[in-house]
Amino acid sequence: MKSRASRPEDLVDQPGGGGLPGRLGDELRDELIAFRRDLHMHPELGNQEFRTTAAIKDRLEKAGLRPRVLDVGTGLVCDVGEWDGVTPMLALRADIDALPIPDTKVDVPYRSTVPDRAHACGHDVHTTTVLGAGLVLAALDREGLLPNAVRLVFQPAEEVLPGGAIDAIESGVLEGVGRIIAVHCDPKVDAGRIGLRVGPITSACDRLEISLDGPGGHTARPHLTTDLVTAAARVAVDVPALLSRRVDARSGLVLTWGRLQTGHAPNVVPQHAELSGTVRCLDLDAWRDAPDMVHAAVDEVAGMHRAKSVINYVRGVPPVVNDAESVGLLDAAMAERRGSYAIEDTEQSLGGEDFSWYLERVPGAMARLGVRPPGDTRGLDLHRGNFDVDEEAITVGVELFTAAALLDAKR
């Protein structure tokens, strides 16, 4: 995708000129802001989103739609318009779960009412934008202005590895879908703008747990033991180094440790050691090869120190790889709504996102949805208790999705 320089002539508040329907009216805008704040006050963890699911279902039914709760008991799928059984649908995806952290905001009336639970990743905004788009598209459908059916996917448990997207797919949310799009809040992008990228936009993320065992003993006679402290230290240092030489450096595969635990006394060589960390990777092919490479490297290093290794490699999510045509659709939709100045290039993140599982099956793309109040210098970030958004982002997300649906039908 070509870069987008900031030019004075691009500073426009008008849409790109096509005049698509689907703008967000003031009454619905106010309702959606209230809906988002209600979700923010009542965050629910993955696979426990019963109140959230009920709230979404109730509002969709009031609009005359027929949502279906997913087989796992939370999350929903809902079609806007009648699918003809032939024409591939565009799907709009939102994740609905919250995080197990406290909400530390003190200056807003909608802070979380649930101890140690917070919508600190913006899923309440994602949910509200897809709901709002569904309501606007339903109104267009009643007026005969929606050419093709559009599917709404409200997915649970995005924060729970390997991600609730797998359960949603098994519930049939992709049947009849030809393309799927989503947004993710980005506190580094001003509200009113989006970030786009062709190709990988997030990283793969897996979890690695290693146990090392061997005969311990007295530190006076280390030659009669398996020195697990040294073995664990060498695994911690040498395995990442080996991996860096066994995979293309451009793949960005990185093993980072978060825990190393062994021993209890200064004069005792322990019999057991544990290490755990994450494996992140920017490249899809390298991610697929990562478990075998990690196993081989760990066994090799542990074996040099006569330590027996047991490896638990927990698959997380692959990278989100944006399809070029889907990025083009989002680009055209945003240009239509806000003008080309409202679109910027975005870099690949090392965070993981289970939206990637959908893209293993159908083409699609995720956009970064700007949520930073222009001029804000607080440096808010995701997965922090003080995370909040400029609610103008809700309007932007709704109008982006509605324009994308109408433009996709034209294609």
Side-chain angles (χ1 to χ4, degrees):
M1 193 176 93
K2 64 182 180 180
S3 62
R4 296 178 175 277
S6 298
R7 300 191 306 272
E9 60 267 29
D10 285 333
L11 292 169
V12 294
D13 295 323
Q14 299 300 316
L20 284 179
R23 291 281 182 176
L24 187 60
D26 291 341
E27 183 176 350
L28 182 54
R29 178 186 295 108
D30 292 344
E31 179 191 349
L32 293 175
I33 289 174
F35 189 90
R36 178 258 167 176
R37 292 184 177 188
D38 179 71
L39 293 186
H40 201 85
M41 293 173 65
H42 301 92
E44 297 174 301
L45 299 184
N47 296 316
Q48 301 173 25
E49 312 96 332
F50 298 104
R51 183 187 185 279
T52 303
T53 298
I56 301 166
K57 182 173 183 288
D58 179 66
R59 186 60 185 91
L60 291 172
E61 289 177 340
K62 286 181 178 177
L65 300 173
R66 298 187 298 275
R68 173 176 66 85
V69 177
L70 301 184
D71 297 342
V72 292
T74 60
L76 308 97
V77 59
C78 181
D79 289 352
V80 182
E82 289 295 328
W83 183 43
D84 62 12
V86 178
T87 307
M89 285 182 285
L90 177 70
L92 314 178
R93 176 269 199 172
D95 37 10
I96 66 174
D97 57 325
L99 287 163
I101 64 175
D103 189 337
T104 61
K105 296 187 295 297
V106 296
D107 56 349
V108 297
Y110 50 83
R111 65 177 298 190
S112 172
T113 61
V114 184
D116 300 319
R117 302 287 186 267
H119 268 296
C121 198
H123 294 188
D124 53 336
V125 174
H126 306 165
T127 299
T128 304
T129 58
V130 172
L131 172 65
L135 298 176
V136 172
L137 292 171
L140 293 178
D141 185 49
R142 290 192 294 270
E143 298 172 13
L145 299 176
L146 183 65
N148 294 337
V150 177
R151 177 159 294 166
L152 314 177
V153 178
F154 298 92
Q155 175 218 301
E158 190 275 331
E159 299 287 354
V160 182
L161 288 178
I166 294 176
D167 291 328
I169 293 168
E170 290 177 353
S171 290
V173 302
L174 290 183
E175 293 174 9
V177 169
R179 186 183 311 281
I180 187 167
I181 57 175
V183 296
H184 197 294
C185 291
D186 191 336
K188 297 179 178 61
V189 177
D190 284 347
R193 301 171 67 89
I194 64 168
L196 294 177
R197 177 186 177 89
V198 174
I201 192 171
T202 68
S203 168
C205 181
D206 299 333
R207 188 171 72 245
L208 177 63
E209 300 167 346
I210 300 171
S211 295
L212 300 176
D213 292 282
H218 202 292
T219 56
R221 293 175 290 279
H223 59 289
L224 301 179
T225 74
T226 292
D227 185 354
L228 283 185
V229 174
T230 298
R234 295 318 312 178
V235 167
V237 173
D238 292 347
V239 170
L242 280 175
L243 292 174
S244 72
R245 293 297 180 267
R246 294 181 179 179
V247 66
D248 191 327
R250 293 170 295 182
S251 71
L253 191 148
V254 177
L255 167 57
T256 304
W257 303 108
R259 185 176 73 96
L260 193 164
Q261 183 173 342
T262 187
H264 299 284
N267 61 342
V268 177
V269 176
Q271 301 180 57
H272 183 73
E274 294 180 354
L275 302 91
S276 58
T278 60
V279 179
R280 297 181 186 270
C281 186
L282 307 180
D283 178 75
L284 186 59
D285 290 334
W287 175 75
R288 289 171 175 153
D289 295 337
D292 290 341
M293 288 191 293
V294 169
H295 272 79
V298 171
D299 288 342
E300 183 177 330
V301 175
M304 291 174 59
H305 296 274
R306 297 180 299 168
K308 179 183 178 182
S309 60
V310 177
I311 303 168
N312 182 27
Y313 193 105
V314 182
R315 268 304 198 194
V317 294
V320 172
V321 182
N322 280 348
D323 164 67
E325 187 172 347
S326 301
V327 171
L329 175 63
L330 289 165
D331 186 293
M334 191 63 176
E336 169 68 33
R337 293 304 195 199
R338 297 275 170 147
S340 60
Y341 178 74
I343 308 165
E344 61 185 58
D345 295 331
T346 190
E347 61 186 13
Q348 186 174 7
S349 164
L350 283 172
E353 231 292 349
D354 77 349
F355 184 69
S356 53
W357 292 121
Y358 300 107
L359 303 189
E360 293 275 285
R361 293 161 176 81
V362 297
M366 172 174 282
R368 302 288 185 197
L369 179 66
V371 297
R372 179 177 62 193
D376 192 299
T377 59
R378 290 176 294 171
L380 299 181
D381 203 356
L382 303 173
H383 289 218
R384 292 183 181 175
N386 65 343
F387 175 75
D388 204 356
V389 305
D390 184 329
E391 290 171 325
E392 171 64 12
I394 295 172
T395 298
V396 176
V398 170
E399 295 190 350
L400 173 71
F401 280 141
T402 56
L406 296 171
L407 291 175
D408 185 65
K410 289 184 177 181
R411 295 186 179 197

